[in-house]
Amino acid sequence: MRFFGLKSCDTCRKALKALTAAGHTPQVIDVRADGVSDADLAEIITQFGDQAINRASTTWRSLSDAEKASDPTALLAAHPALMKRPVIENNGVWTIGWKPDVQAAYLGD
């Protein structure tokens, strides 16, 4: 299990705590500190498209209209903190966010 997130993200910390308590041992990839490989970034965009962009973030609000209109891959490469978090890959299955449906997939009902 690979966990893409930010150390400073409250949602990511909650998700990691819950996953660890449920017996998972995720490989944590801090998108800002560690970066995201080109292959992983391409797969995230393939899986989620522009839904991978967190439009509620302060980073998003600080972008110009031209930047906001640019390609999602280029945006995430330039501003990794724009990624909606967490993104979790487990045995080839990708999820994004930490809503009840994602929690149920990893933690059970």
Side-chain angles (χ1 to χ4, degrees):
M1 173 183 287
R2 296 184 305 149
F3 182 99
F4 298 84
L6 283 175
K7 292 175 188 166
S8 60
C9 173
D10 288 338
T11 301
C12 291
R13 286 195 295 256
K14 288 176 193 172
L16 272 174
K17 184 177 179 181
L19 289 168
T20 302
H24 297 284
T25 53
Q27 172 194 357
V28 178
I29 299 152
D30 186 297
V31 298
R32 187 180 288 138
D34 304 325
V36 179
S37 73
D38 291 342
D40 285 333
L41 186 55
E43 187 61 28
I44 289 167
I45 296 300
T46 298
Q47 292 288 325
F48 306 109
D50 67 352
Q51 295 298 313
I53 304 291
N54 180 2
R55 288 179 171 77
S57 74
T58 54
T59 304
W60 175 260
R61 291 190 298 267
S62 70
L63 297 176
S64 69
D65 288 342
E67 288 174 305
K68 290 177 181 179
S70 67
D71 175 65
T73 304
L75 264 176
L76 290 176
H79 307 281
L82 269 178
M83 184 183 299
K84 192 175 282 186
R85 306 173 294 272
V87 172
I88 303 170
E89 182 272 325
N90 190 37
N91 297 321
V93 176
W94 293 78
T95 59
I96 194 166
W98 193 241
K99 299 289 186 198
D101 60 327
V102 175
Q103 293 177 35
Y106 295 111
L107 307 177
D109 298 314

